[in-house]
Protein backbone atom coordinates (compact mmCIF):
# COMPACT_ATOMS: atom_id res chain seq x y z
CA UNK A 1 0.00 0.00 0.00
CA UNK A 2 1.68 3.17 -1.22
CA UNK A 3 0.88 6.26 0.83
CA UNK A 4 1.02 9.76 -0.59
CA UNK A 5 -0.37 12.96 0.89
CA UNK A 6 -1.06 16.49 -0.40
CA UNK A 7 0.94 19.39 0.99
CA UNK A 8 1.12 23.18 0.98
CA UNK A 9 3.81 23.86 -1.57
CA UNK A 10 5.95 26.96 -1.57
CA UNK A 11 6.06 28.13 -5.20
CA UNK A 12 7.37 31.03 -7.26
CA UNK A 13 4.78 33.58 -8.26
CA UNK A 14 3.38 33.11 -11.73
CA UNK A 15 5.38 36.00 -13.19
CA UNK A 16 8.65 34.72 -11.69
CA UNK A 17 8.46 30.95 -12.15
CA UNK A 18 10.34 30.87 -15.45
CA UNK A 19 13.13 32.94 -13.91
CA UNK A 20 13.35 30.94 -10.68
CA UNK A 21 13.24 27.40 -12.10
CA UNK A 22 16.65 25.83 -12.64
CA UNK A 23 18.21 22.53 -13.52
CA UNK A 24 20.09 20.61 -10.84
CA UNK A 25 23.14 22.58 -9.75
CA UNK A 26 25.59 19.86 -10.89
CA UNK A 27 24.30 19.85 -14.48
CA UNK A 28 25.56 23.37 -15.23
CA UNK A 29 29.07 24.09 -16.37
CA UNK A 30 30.87 26.75 -14.36
CA UNK A 31 30.39 29.24 -17.20
CA UNK A 32 26.64 28.51 -17.38
CA UNK A 33 26.24 28.91 -13.63
CA UNK A 34 28.13 32.20 -13.59
CA UNK A 35 26.06 33.58 -16.47
CA UNK A 36 22.79 32.79 -14.74
CA UNK A 37 23.98 34.13 -11.41
CA UNK A 38 25.27 37.33 -13.07
CA UNK A 39 22.17 38.11 -15.12
CA UNK A 40 19.22 36.52 -13.31
CA UNK A 41 18.71 37.66 -9.70
CA UNK A 42 15.66 35.38 -9.37
CA UNK A 43 17.37 32.09 -10.28
CA UNK A 44 17.10 29.33 -7.72
CA UNK A 45 20.86 28.97 -8.20
CA UNK A 46 21.25 32.03 -5.93
CA UNK A 47 19.75 29.97 -3.10
CA UNK A 48 21.82 26.81 -3.57
CA UNK A 49 25.00 28.77 -4.33
CA UNK A 50 24.95 31.43 -1.60
CA UNK A 51 28.70 32.01 -1.75
CA UNK A 52 28.17 33.93 -4.99
CA UNK A 53 27.03 36.90 -2.94
CA UNK A 54 30.42 37.00 -1.21
CA UNK A 55 32.49 35.97 -4.23
CA UNK A 56 33.89 32.90 -2.51
CA UNK A 57 33.31 29.17 -2.19
CA UNK A 58 31.50 28.22 1.03
CA UNK A 59 30.94 24.64 2.15
CA UNK A 60 29.61 22.58 5.02
CA UNK A 61 27.26 23.86 7.70
CA UNK A 62 28.17 27.47 6.92
CA UNK A 63 26.88 27.01 3.38
CA UNK A 64 23.71 25.26 4.57
CA UNK A 65 22.84 28.17 6.85
CA UNK A 66 23.37 30.65 4.04
CA UNK A 67 21.16 28.55 1.74
CA UNK A 68 18.41 28.87 4.32
CA UNK A 69 19.01 32.63 4.56
CA UNK A 70 18.75 33.09 0.78
CA UNK A 71 15.58 30.98 0.74
CA UNK A 72 14.00 33.07 3.49
CA UNK A 73 14.91 36.23 1.57
CA UNK A 74 13.10 34.90 -1.52
CA UNK A 75 10.02 34.37 0.68
CA UNK A 76 10.34 37.80 2.30
CA UNK A 77 10.55 39.41 -1.16
CA UNK A 78 7.42 37.51 -2.27
CA UNK A 79 9.31 35.70 -4.98
CA UNK A 80 8.05 32.56 -3.23
CA UNK A 81 4.57 32.22 -1.74
CA UNK A 82 2.99 29.26 0.06
CA UNK A 83 -0.34 27.72 -0.89
CA UNK A 84 -3.05 28.03 1.75
CA UNK A 85 -4.45 24.51 1.41
CA UNK A 86 -2.95 21.06 1.03
CA UNK A 87 -2.80 20.12 -2.64
CA UNK A 88 -1.59 17.56 -5.08
CA UNK A 89 -0.05 19.13 -8.17
CA UNK A 90 -0.38 17.87 -11.72
CA UNK A 91 2.90 18.60 -13.46
CA UNK A 92 3.25 18.20 -17.22
CA UNK A 93 6.41 18.48 -19.30
CA UNK A 94 6.55 18.51 -23.09
CA UNK A 95 10.16 18.26 -24.24
CA UNK A 96 11.62 19.52 -27.48
CA UNK A 97 11.36 16.04 -29.02
CA UNK A 98 7.60 16.13 -28.41
CA UNK A 99 7.60 13.58 -25.59
CA UNK A 100 4.94 14.26 -22.96
CA UNK A 101 5.24 13.48 -19.26
CA UNK A 102 2.25 13.76 -16.93
CA UNK A 103 2.68 13.24 -13.22
CA UNK A 104 1.58 14.18 -9.73
CA UNK A 105 3.75 16.08 -7.27
CA UNK A 106 2.96 14.75 -3.79
CA UNK A 107 4.60 13.88 -0.50
CA UNK A 108 5.63 10.21 -0.34
CA UNK A 109 6.02 8.26 2.87
CA UNK A 110 9.43 7.67 4.46
CA UNK A 111 7.91 4.57 6.11
CA UNK A 112 7.16 3.22 2.64
CA UNK A 113 10.84 3.65 1.83
CA UNK A 114 11.77 1.82 5.03
CA UNK A 115 9.30 -1.01 4.37
CA UNK A 116 10.33 -1.50 0.72
CA UNK A 117 7.00 -0.32 -0.66
CA UNK A 118 9.15 2.29 -2.41
CA UNK A 119 11.78 0.15 -4.09
CA UNK A 120 15.30 1.00 -5.20
CA UNK A 121 17.53 -0.28 -7.98
CA UNK A 122 20.70 1.74 -7.35
CA UNK A 123 23.33 1.74 -4.62
CA UNK A 124 23.89 4.95 -2.71
CA UNK A 125 27.05 6.30 -1.13
CA UNK A 126 26.65 6.44 2.65
CA UNK A 127 28.75 9.58 3.01
CA UNK A 128 26.61 11.44 0.46
CA UNK A 129 23.43 10.29 2.19
CA UNK A 130 24.56 11.79 5.50
CA UNK A 131 25.87 15.00 3.94
CA UNK A 132 22.56 15.64 2.23
CA UNK A 133 20.62 14.65 5.36
CA UNK A 134 22.52 17.32 7.31
CA UNK A 135 21.82 19.79 4.51
CA UNK A 136 18.07 19.07 4.62
CA UNK A 137 17.99 19.29 8.40
CA UNK A 138 19.58 22.75 8.31
CA UNK A 139 17.72 24.33 5.40
CA UNK A 140 14.32 22.83 6.26
CA UNK A 141 13.05 22.32 2.72
CA UNK A 142 13.36 20.15 -0.34
CA UNK A 143 13.17 21.79 -3.76
CA UNK A 144 13.79 18.88 -6.14
CA UNK A 145 11.35 15.96 -6.03
CA UNK A 146 12.33 12.31 -6.22
CA UNK A 147 11.06 10.73 -9.44
CA UNK A 148 8.83 7.74 -8.65
CA UNK A 149 7.03 5.54 -11.15
CA UNK A 150 3.85 3.53 -10.72
CA UNK A 151 1.84 1.05 -12.87
CA UNK A 152 -0.41 2.74 -15.40
CA UNK A 153 -3.76 3.49 -13.81
CA UNK A 154 -6.77 4.54 -15.86
CA UNK A 155 -8.55 6.25 -12.94
CA UNK A 156 -5.58 8.49 -12.20
CA UNK A 157 -5.01 9.11 -15.89
CA UNK A 158 -8.62 10.22 -16.40
CA UNK A 159 -8.42 12.55 -13.41
CA UNK A 160 -5.22 14.10 -14.74
CA UNK A 161 -6.76 14.52 -18.20
CA UNK A 162 -9.84 16.23 -16.75
CA UNK A 163 -7.76 18.59 -14.62
CA UNK A 164 -5.68 19.55 -17.65
CA UNK A 165 -8.81 20.83 -19.37
CA UNK A 166 -8.64 23.75 -16.94
CA UNK A 167 -6.29 26.71 -17.15
CA UNK A 168 -2.84 25.82 -15.84
CA UNK A 169 -1.56 27.63 -12.76
CA UNK A 170 1.54 28.38 -14.79
CA UNK A 171 3.24 27.54 -18.08
CA UNK A 172 6.82 28.31 -19.05
CA UNK A 173 9.36 27.18 -21.64
CA UNK A 174 13.05 26.69 -20.87
CA UNK A 175 16.06 27.55 -22.99
CA UNK A 176 16.14 23.82 -23.84
CA UNK A 177 12.66 24.28 -25.37
CA UNK A 178 10.96 22.09 -22.78
CA UNK A 179 7.55 23.43 -21.74
CA UNK A 180 6.36 22.98 -18.16
CA UNK A 181 2.79 23.22 -16.85
CA UNK A 182 1.32 22.96 -13.34
CA UNK A 183 -2.24 22.54 -12.07
CA UNK A 184 -3.39 22.46 -8.43
CA UNK A 185 -5.61 19.67 -7.08
CA UNK A 186 -7.38 20.99 -4.00
CA UNK A 187 -10.73 19.19 -4.35
CA UNK A 188 -10.91 16.78 -1.42
CA UNK A 189 -12.87 14.13 -3.32
CA UNK A 190 -10.27 14.07 -6.07
CA UNK A 191 -7.47 13.94 -3.50
CA UNK A 192 -9.19 11.01 -1.75
CA UNK A 193 -9.62 9.13 -5.03
CA UNK A 194 -5.95 9.51 -5.92
CA UNK A 195 -4.88 8.39 -2.45
CA UNK A 196 -7.11 5.32 -2.64
CA UNK A 197 -5.67 4.35 -6.02
CA UNK A 198 -2.15 4.52 -4.61
CA UNK A 199 -3.18 2.52 -1.53
CA UNK A 200 -4.06 -0.30 -3.94
CA UNK A 201 -0.52 -0.32 -5.33
CA UNK A 202 1.74 -2.74 -3.43
CA UNK A 203 4.90 -1.08 -4.75
CA UNK A 204 6.19 2.01 -6.51
CA UNK A 205 9.73 2.41 -7.78
CA UNK A 206 12.40 5.07 -7.55
CA UNK A 207 13.30 6.04 -11.09
CA UNK A 208 15.64 8.91 -10.24
CA UNK A 209 16.71 10.39 -6.92
CA UNK A 210 18.08 7.49 -4.86
CA UNK A 211 20.35 9.71 -2.77
CA UNK A 212 17.59 12.26 -2.16
CA UNK A 213 15.17 9.60 -0.96
CA UNK A 214 17.81 7.89 1.20
CA UNK A 215 18.74 11.23 2.79
CA UNK A 216 15.09 12.09 3.41
CA UNK A 217 14.66 8.72 5.11
CA UNK A 218 17.69 9.38 7.33
CA UNK A 219 16.24 12.77 8.23
CA UNK A 220 12.93 11.12 9.14
CA UNK A 221 14.73 8.64 11.42
CA UNK A 222 16.80 11.39 13.02
CA UNK A 223 13.88 13.70 13.76
CA UNK A 224 11.60 10.86 14.85
CA UNK A 225 14.15 9.52 17.34
CA UNK A 226 14.74 12.99 18.78
CA UNK A 227 11.08 13.97 19.06
CA UNK A 228 9.23 13.53 22.34
CA UNK A 229 5.83 13.97 20.69
CA UNK A 230 6.18 12.04 17.43
CA UNK A 231 2.76 10.99 16.09
CA UNK A 232 3.43 10.19 12.41
CA UNK A 233 1.72 13.25 10.96
CA UNK A 234 4.77 15.52 11.00
CA UNK A 235 5.99 16.80 7.66
CA UNK A 236 9.36 15.08 8.13
CA UNK A 237 7.56 11.73 7.74
CA UNK A 238 7.33 12.46 4.01
CA UNK A 239 9.47 13.67 1.13
CA UNK A 240 8.49 15.44 -2.07
CA UNK A 241 8.06 13.20 -5.09
CA UNK A 242 6.99 13.41 -8.71
CA UNK A 243 5.01 10.29 -9.58
CA UNK A 244 4.53 9.34 -13.23
CA UNK A 245 3.09 6.19 -14.87
CA UNK A 246 5.55 3.59 -16.10
CA UNK A 247 4.50 4.01 -19.73
CA UNK A 248 5.67 7.64 -19.71
CA UNK A 249 9.06 7.00 -18.15
CA UNK A 250 11.88 7.44 -20.67
CA UNK A 251 14.98 5.36 -19.96
CA UNK A 252 18.17 6.03 -21.90
CA UNK A 253 21.45 4.16 -21.71
CA UNK A 254 24.77 5.46 -20.46
CA UNK A 255 27.58 4.60 -22.88
CA UNK A 256 31.11 4.03 -21.57
CA UNK A 257 34.45 5.41 -22.75
CA UNK A 258 37.78 4.23 -21.30
CA UNK A 259 41.09 6.09 -21.43
CA UNK A 260 43.40 3.17 -22.26
CA UNK A 261 43.52 -0.55 -23.05
CA UNK A 262 45.17 -1.48 -19.74
CA UNK A 263 48.58 -2.02 -21.35
CA UNK A 264 47.27 -4.19 -24.20
CA UNK A 265 47.83 -3.63 -27.88
CA UNK A 266 44.74 -3.34 -30.09
CA UNK A 267 45.29 -6.88 -31.37
CA UNK A 268 45.78 -8.35 -27.88
CA UNK A 269 42.63 -6.61 -26.70
CA UNK A 270 40.55 -7.97 -29.61
CA UNK A 271 41.87 -11.49 -29.05
CA UNK A 272 40.80 -11.37 -25.40
CA UNK A 273 37.36 -10.08 -26.42
CA UNK A 274 37.03 -12.94 -28.92
CA UNK A 275 36.95 -15.44 -26.05
CA UNK A 276 33.45 -14.36 -25.03
CA UNK A 277 32.15 -12.23 -27.92
CA UNK A 278 31.53 -12.75 -31.58
CA UNK A 279 33.19 -9.68 -33.12
CA UNK A 280 32.37 -8.04 -36.44
CA UNK A 281 34.21 -5.02 -37.83
CA UNK A 282 31.57 -2.52 -39.00
CA UNK A 283 34.04 -0.02 -40.44
CA UNK A 284 33.70 3.74 -40.19
CA UNK A 285 29.89 3.93 -40.28
CA UNK A 286 28.39 4.55 -36.81
CA UNK A 287 26.83 1.41 -35.39
CA UNK A 288 24.35 1.04 -32.53
CA UNK A 289 23.14 -2.30 -31.12
CA UNK A 290 19.46 -3.21 -31.33
CA UNK A 291 19.19 -6.20 -28.96
CA UNK A 292 20.01 -7.10 -25.39
CA UNK A 293 23.49 -8.57 -24.88
CA UNK A 294 24.72 -6.91 -28.06
CA UNK A 295 27.19 -4.05 -27.77
CA UNK A 296 28.81 -1.54 -30.06
CA UNK A 297 32.48 -0.71 -29.69
CA UNK A 298 34.52 2.09 -31.21
CA UNK A 299 38.27 1.50 -31.35
CA UNK A 300 41.05 3.02 -33.45
CA UNK A 301 38.72 4.74 -35.92
CA UNK A 302 36.38 1.79 -36.50
CA UNK A 303 33.09 0.50 -35.13
CA UNK A 304 32.61 -3.11 -34.05
CA UNK A 305 29.60 -5.16 -33.05
CA UNK A 306 30.05 -7.45 -30.06
CA UNK A 307 27.62 -10.35 -29.65
CA UNK A 308 27.84 -12.15 -26.32
CA UNK A 309 28.56 -15.87 -26.53
CA UNK A 310 25.73 -16.74 -24.16
CA UNK A 311 26.83 -20.33 -23.64
CA UNK A 312 30.01 -19.01 -22.00
CA UNK A 313 28.28 -16.58 -19.63
CA UNK A 314 26.51 -17.54 -16.41
CA UNK A 315 23.08 -15.92 -16.01
CA UNK A 316 22.54 -16.48 -12.29
CA UNK A 317 20.24 -13.54 -11.50
CA UNK A 318 18.33 -10.62 -12.97
CA UNK A 319 21.43 -8.51 -12.38
CA UNK A 320 23.62 -10.91 -14.37
CA UNK A 321 21.29 -10.42 -17.35
CA UNK A 322 21.69 -6.64 -17.29
CA UNK A 323 23.87 -5.33 -20.12
CA UNK A 324 25.78 -2.88 -17.91
CA UNK A 325 26.65 -5.77 -15.58
CA UNK A 326 27.63 -8.02 -18.49
CA UNK A 327 29.94 -5.33 -19.88
CA UNK A 328 31.51 -4.91 -16.45
CA UNK A 329 31.97 -8.63 -15.75
CA UNK A 330 33.28 -9.57 -19.20
CA UNK A 331 35.30 -6.53 -20.36
CA UNK A 332 35.68 -3.60 -17.99
CA UNK A 333 36.86 -5.57 -14.96
CA UNK A 334 38.72 -8.63 -16.29
CA UNK A 335 40.31 -7.11 -19.41
CA UNK A 336 40.52 -3.36 -18.81
CA UNK A 337 41.17 -3.62 -15.07
CA UNK A 338 38.37 -1.31 -13.91
CA UNK A 339 37.08 -2.56 -10.55
CA UNK A 340 35.45 0.57 -9.15
CA UNK A 341 32.93 1.86 -11.69
CA UNK A 342 32.04 4.83 -9.53
CA UNK A 343 35.49 6.21 -8.76
CA UNK A 344 37.98 4.96 -11.38
CA UNK A 345 39.16 8.02 -13.31
CA UNK A 346 39.86 5.92 -16.41
CA UNK A 347 36.16 5.50 -17.22
CA UNK A 348 33.61 8.16 -18.18
CA UNK A 349 29.89 7.89 -18.93
CA UNK A 350 28.01 9.57 -21.78
CA UNK A 351 24.23 9.56 -21.59
CA UNK A 352 22.52 7.91 -24.53
CA UNK A 353 20.54 11.01 -25.50
CA UNK A 354 23.74 12.21 -27.10
CA UNK A 355 24.50 10.90 -30.57
CA UNK A 356 26.88 7.95 -30.96
CA UNK A 357 29.07 10.39 -32.88
CA UNK A 358 29.70 12.09 -29.54
CA UNK A 359 31.30 8.89 -28.27
CA UNK A 360 33.34 8.64 -31.48
CA UNK A 361 34.62 12.20 -31.05
CA UNK A 362 35.86 11.50 -27.51
CA UNK A 363 38.08 8.74 -28.89
CA UNK A 364 39.13 10.44 -32.13
CA UNK A 365 40.48 13.43 -30.21
CA UNK A 366 42.75 11.13 -28.19
CA UNK A 367 41.13 11.65 -24.80
CA UNK A 368 39.92 8.04 -24.68
CA UNK A 369 41.01 4.79 -26.30
CA UNK A 370 37.80 2.76 -26.59
CA UNK A 371 34.06 3.27 -26.24
CA UNK A 372 31.11 0.93 -25.70
CA UNK A 373 27.43 1.42 -26.50
CA UNK A 374 24.34 -0.60 -25.59
CA UNK A 375 20.55 -0.43 -25.66
CA UNK A 376 18.63 1.14 -22.74
CA UNK A 377 17.50 -0.89 -19.75
CA UNK A 378 13.76 -1.52 -19.97
CA UNK A 379 11.32 -0.79 -17.17
CA UNK A 380 10.60 -4.46 -16.44
CA UNK A 381 14.30 -5.24 -15.96
CA UNK A 382 14.65 -2.25 -13.66
CA UNK A 383 11.66 -3.35 -11.58
CA UNK A 384 12.84 -6.96 -11.42
CA UNK A 385 16.22 -5.94 -10.07
CA UNK A 386 14.49 -3.78 -7.44
CA UNK A 387 12.09 -6.61 -6.56
CA UNK A 388 15.02 -9.00 -6.15
CA UNK A 389 16.75 -6.58 -3.78
CA UNK A 390 19.67 -6.16 -6.18
CA UNK A 391 21.43 -3.00 -7.31
CA UNK A 392 22.44 -1.94 -10.81
CA UNK A 393 25.99 -0.84 -11.61
CA UNK A 394 26.50 2.95 -11.47
CA UNK A 395 25.26 4.88 -14.50
CA UNK A 396 23.02 2.13 -15.81
CA UNK A 397 20.15 4.48 -16.63
CA UNK A 398 19.63 8.08 -17.69
CA UNK A 399 15.98 8.69 -16.91
CA UNK A 400 13.56 11.40 -17.99
CA UNK A 401 11.66 13.54 -17.18
CA UNK A 402 13.92 15.95 -15.32
CA UNK A 403 11.78 18.29 -13.26
CA UNK A 404 13.16 21.76 -12.50
CA UNK A 405 14.35 22.77 -9.04
CA UNK A 406 12.48 25.48 -7.16
CA UNK A 407 9.12 25.05 -8.90
CA UNK A 408 7.44 23.29 -5.97
CA UNK A 409 9.10 23.29 -2.54
CA UNK A 410 8.30 21.03 0.39
CA UNK A 411 9.00 22.42 3.85
CA UNK A 412 9.45 20.31 6.97
Amino acid sequence: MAKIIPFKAVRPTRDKVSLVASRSYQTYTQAEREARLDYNPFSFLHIVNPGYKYDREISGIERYKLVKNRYLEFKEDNIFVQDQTNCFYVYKIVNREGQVFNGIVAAASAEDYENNVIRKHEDTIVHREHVFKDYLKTVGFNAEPVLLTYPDNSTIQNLISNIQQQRAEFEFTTTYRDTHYLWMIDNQNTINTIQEEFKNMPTVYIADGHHRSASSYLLYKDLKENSTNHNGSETYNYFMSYLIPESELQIHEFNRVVKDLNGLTKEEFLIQLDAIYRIENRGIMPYKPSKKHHFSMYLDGEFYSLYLRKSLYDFKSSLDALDTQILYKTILQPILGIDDLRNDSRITYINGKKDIVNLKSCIDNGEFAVGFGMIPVDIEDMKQIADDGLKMPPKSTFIEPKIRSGVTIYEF
Side-chain angles (χ1 to χ4, degrees):
M1 294 174 58
K3 183 177 182 180
I4 62 170
I5 63 167
F7 66 100
K8 297 174 184 177
V10 175
R11 300 186 288 112
T13 57
R14 186 178 297 171
D15 62 323
K16 296 290 193 304
V17 63
S18 62
L19 298 170
V20 171
S22 73
R23 305 198 311 268
S24 294
Y25 180 81
Q26 298 85 351
T27 65
Y28 291 96
T29 66
Q30 183 175 346
E32 287 176 325
R33 279 198 299 269
E34 289 176 354
R36 281 158 176 77
L37 290 165
D38 285 342
Y39 298 108
N40 180 5
F42 303 108
S43 173
F44 193 75
L45 292 176
H46 282 281
I47 293 176
V48 295
N49 188 27
Y52 172 81
K53 184 175 182 178
Y54 302 103
D55 195 27
R56 60 183 283 255
E57 287 293 325
I58 302 173
S59 60
I61 193 69
E62 183 183 18
R63 173 176 171 261
Y64 307 162
K65 290 178 179 179
L66 288 175
V67 167
K68 184 172 185 177
N69 291 346
R70 294 292 87 72
Y71 173 66
L72 292 175
E73 288 169 4
F74 269 51
K75 291 182 72 176
E76 290 162 2
D77 294 340
N78 292 319
I79 299 167
F80 283 143
V81 293
Q82 186 162 28
D83 290 325
Q84 298 301 304
T85 58
N86 289 319
C87 301
F88 287 139
Y89 302 88
V90 171
Y91 199 114
K92 176 181 176 180
I93 303 171
V94 181
N95 70 16
R96 59 183 172 183
E97 290 88 15
Q99 295 166 323
V100 180
F101 307 98
N102 295 287
I104 296 172
V105 178
S109 167
E111 278 194 347
D112 282 354
Y113 182 90
E114 181 176 50
N115 296 328
N116 207 33
V117 173
I118 297 175
R119 296 193 175 171
K120 322 83 165 149
H121 65 265
E122 286 185 8
D123 261 332
T124 51
I125 301 170
V126 173
H127 171 69
R128 283 184 60 192
E129 291 178 14
H130 285 272
V131 166
F132 194 56
K133 185 265 289 185
D134 293 339
Y135 169 83
L136 291 174
K137 190 174 183 179
T138 303
V139 303
F141 67 86
N142 181 242
E144 188 175 350
V146 173
L147 181 63
L148 300 178
T149 188
Y150 62 89
D152 284 39
N153 180 293
S154 58
T155 299
I156 295 174
Q157 184 55 50
N158 288 336
L159 284 173
I160 289 175
S161 296
N162 289 335
I163 289 162
Q164 290 177 343
Q165 302 306 309
Q166 305 167 20
R167 181 174 180 265
E169 187 70 13
F170 66 67
E171 170 188 345
F172 68 93
T173 301
T174 71
T175 53
Y176 280 73
R177 300 197 302 278
D178 299 339
T179 303
H180 297 243
Y181 307 81
L182 181 136
W183 293 262
M184 298 168 63
I185 304 177
D186 55 6
N187 179 277
Q188 193 57 52
N189 289 333
T190 305
I191 289 171
N192 292 342
T193 299
I194 291 171
Q195 288 181 307
E196 285 301 315
E197 291 301 315
F198 275 95
K199 282 182 183 177
N200 292 328
M201 299 178 192
T203 53
V204 294
Y205 295 84
I206 299 173
D208 192 22
H210 283 77
H211 280 93
R212 273 172 278 144
S213 49
S215 301
S216 296
Y217 169 65
L218 288 177
L219 178 69
Y220 150 77
K221 284 182 62 180
D222 185 329
L223 296 179
K224 176 183 176 182
E225 290 167 4
N226 289 285
S227 172
T228 56
N229 300 307
H230 175 82
N231 61 28
S233 65
E234 299 87 355
T235 51
Y236 62 71
N237 291 279
Y238 301 88
F239 56 94
M240 186 168 64
S241 299
Y242 179 44
L243 300 107
I244 73 166
E246 292 173 2
S247 63
E248 293 191 18
L249 197 69
Q250 293 291 317
I251 305 178
H252 304 277
E253 73 279 15
F254 265 106
N255 297 319
R256 277 87 164 117
V257 287
V258 181
K259 289 188 176 180
D260 58 68
L261 298 182
N262 198 28
L264 300 172
T265 66
K266 172 185 172 181
E267 291 71 24
E268 290 169 336
F269 177 59
L270 290 171
I271 288 170
Q272 289 204 32
L273 284 183
D274 195 80
I276 196 164
Y277 288 95
R278 177 181 171 181
I279 306 171
E280 291 185 21
N281 188 320
R282 299 280 182 159
I284 62 172
M285 293 300 293
Y287 166 75
K288 289 192 70 172
S290 58
K291 295 181 180 179
K292 289 182 180 180
H293 316 328
H294 290 187
F295 302 88
S296 64
M297 181 176 73
Y298 185 69
L299 173 68
D300 194 26
E302 294 179 307
F303 283 92
Y304 295 82
S305 58
L306 307 179
Y307 300 161
L308 181 70
R309 301 185 194 274
K310 296 179 184 178
S311 61
L312 301 178
Y313 182 81
D314 197 357
F315 292 89
K316 292 180 180 178
S317 68
S318 55
L319 178 60
D320 290 324
L322 195 71
D323 282 348
T324 52
Q325 180 73 355
I326 291 171
L327 189 69
Y328 172 63
K329 298 300 275 187
T330 60
I331 301 177
L332 298 178
Q333 184 185 49
I335 300 177
L336 295 178
I338 296 173
D339 291 311
D340 187 345
L341 292 172
R342 199 182 294 278
N343 297 309
D344 196 315
S345 62
R346 295 170 55 225
I347 187 168
T348 295
Y349 304 91
I350 302 173
N351 80 65
K353 283 202 77 175
K354 296 182 178 178
D355 197 279
I356 194 72
V357 174
N358 186 272
L359 179 148
K360 176 181 183 297
S361 298
C362 289
I363 294 158
D364 287 345
N365 67 21
E367 186 179 358
F368 296 91
V370 62
F372 302 95
M374 64 201 83
I375 67 168
V377 174
D378 66 42
I379 182 68
E380 293 305 321
D381 287 341
M382 187 183 83
K383 288 168 58 180
Q384 188 63 57
I385 285 171
D387 291 343
D388 293 343
L390 301 171
K391 301 294 183 291
M392 293 183 181
K395 300 294 185 183
S396 287
T397 57
F398 177 82
I399 293 180
E400 293 183 301
K402 301 292 185 187
I403 197 167
R404 294 275 162 147
S405 297
V407 176
T408 56
I409 296 174
Y410 181 70
E411 292 187 343
F412 37 79

